[in-house]
């Protein structure tokens, strides 16, 4: 087993990809250009929000107006408050890692504020030490650059080659590869054909659970009370 597991946040720990892209598509349609949820998922999912205006301009030739980010963020957090949940099966994975003493952290193309908010709303925040929640605002370049994953490895004192990254986007897979890490990809929303750079592709957290070493599919060991 690897010495550190680095989780992406959206689509891996918290079930936010569809919610976020619904809000993004709605806001783009209202303020910039008609955009479907499917288009948003295909063109913007897995990228930092800072990259969205440039990608919108490249696709449409239109610029996002002033205030776009504020409107999007306000709507997004309101939707998160009402509807955000943890990815099905992820708690079982974290229980298993805790019981086996395998350390883990989070490295996300979202800002620290958005990552911590989503983890808080889904009850996962207490499980991850503050210095092991790493957001795109802490590095010079987000995914697909390797900066986030290399910072995570340094924070945890683990060589990149000893890290296993759990991702769900092409940009995340590329970032892990660039960092010299093993990467397994969660293909719940992203077609497997777009995740071919991953060492392993799995469709659900149940499958990930079965891939971890010595992990029977019966009930996992319980973690001690916190």
């Amino acid at each position: 087993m690897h010495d550190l597991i680095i989780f992406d946040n959206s689509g891996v720990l918290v079930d936010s990809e569809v919610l976020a892209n619904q809000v993004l598509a709605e806001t783009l349609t209202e303020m910039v250009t008609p955009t479907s949820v499917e288009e948003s998922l295909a063109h913007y999912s897995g990228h930092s929000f800072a990259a969205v205006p440039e990608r919108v301009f490249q696709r449409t030739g239109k610029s996002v107006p002033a205030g776009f980010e504020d409107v999007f963020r306000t709507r997004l957090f309101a939707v998160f408050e009402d509807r955000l949940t943890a990815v099905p099966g992820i708690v079982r994975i974290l229980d298993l890692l805790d019981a086996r003493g395998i350390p883990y952290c989070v490295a996300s193309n979202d800002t620290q504020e958005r990552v911590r908010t989503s983890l808080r709303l889904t009850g996962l925040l207490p499980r991850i030490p503050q210095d092991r929640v790493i957001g795109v605002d802490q590095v010079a370049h987000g995914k697909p650059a390797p900066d986030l994953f290399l910072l995570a490895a340094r924070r945890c004192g683990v060589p990149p080659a000893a890290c296993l990254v759990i991702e769900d986007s092409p940009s995340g897979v590329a970032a892990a590869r660039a960092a010299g890490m093993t990467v397994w990809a969660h293909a719940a929303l992203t077609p497997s054909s777009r995740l071919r750079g991953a060492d392993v592709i799995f469709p659900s957290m149940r499958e990930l659970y079965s891939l971890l070493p010595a992990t029977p599919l019966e009930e996992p060991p319980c973690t001690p009370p916190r």
Side-chain angles (χ1 to χ4, degrees):
M1 189 59 205
H2 292 78
D3 295 334
L4 174 70
I5 296 184
I6 305 175
F7 290 101
D8 179 40
N9 185 52
S10 298
V12 174
L13 293 177
V14 301
D15 208 0
S16 60
E17 284 294 322
V18 172
L19 295 178
N21 281 280
Q22 286 173 342
V23 174
L24 182 57
E26 172 190 321
T27 309
L28 284 171
T29 296
E30 180 180 317
M31 300 182 71
V32 186
T33 188
T35 305
S36 68
V37 176
E38 292 73 21
E39 288 171 330
S40 184
L41 283 164
H43 297 288
Y44 309 121
S45 184
H47 293 274
S48 67
F49 186 81
V52 169
E54 181 179 356
R55 293 180 69 82
V56 170
F57 185 79
Q58 289 172 346
R59 290 191 62 242
T60 69
K62 298 181 180 180
S63 299
V64 301
F68 177 83
E69 181 174 358
D70 291 339
V71 172
F72 170 75
R73 189 181 301 277
T74 298
R75 290 175 174 176
L76 181 69
F77 285 174
V79 169
F80 278 6
E81 288 280 354
D82 287 340
R83 298 166 56 191
L84 187 63
T85 60
V87 168
I90 194 61
V91 170
R92 194 179 187 211
I93 297 290
L94 300 183
D95 285 346
L96 179 67
L97 298 179
D98 287 341
R100 298 187 183 280
I102 300 171
Y104 52 87
C105 65
V106 183
S108 172
N109 252 359
D110 296 327
T111 63
Q112 293 177 81
E113 177 194 18
R114 179 168 161 182
V115 175
R116 289 201 175 99
T117 297
S118 63
L119 293 175
R120 174 181 60 81
L121 291 172
T122 55
L124 298 178
L125 186 59
R127 307 192 68 142
I128 305 169
Q130 183 170 336
D131 64 346
R132 295 197 175 193
V133 176
I134 299 165
V136 71
D137 47 331
Q138 293 176 276
V139 296
H141 304 286
K143 306 167 191 177
D147 302 29
L148 279 161
F149 293 138
L150 293 175
L151 176 58
R154 288 197 301 272
R155 284 271 181 91
C156 298
V158 176
C163 297
L164 170 62
V165 174
I166 309 297
E167 263 291 348
D168 73 326
S169 71
S171 63
V173 169
R177 281 296 192 196
M181 300 176 179
T182 302
V183 55
W184 294 359
H186 183 209
L189 290 175
T190 304
S192 297
S193 60
R194 298 186 63 206
L195 300 169
R196 284 178 181 161
D199 297 282
V200 172
I201 299 174
F202 60 93
S204 69
M205 289 301 161
R206 178 178 175 84
E207 179 70 14
L208 174 59
Y209 187 88
S210 71
L211 290 169
L212 296 173
T215 58
L217 286 177
E218 292 79 25
E219 288 299 316
C222 295
T223 52
R226 293 177 179 273

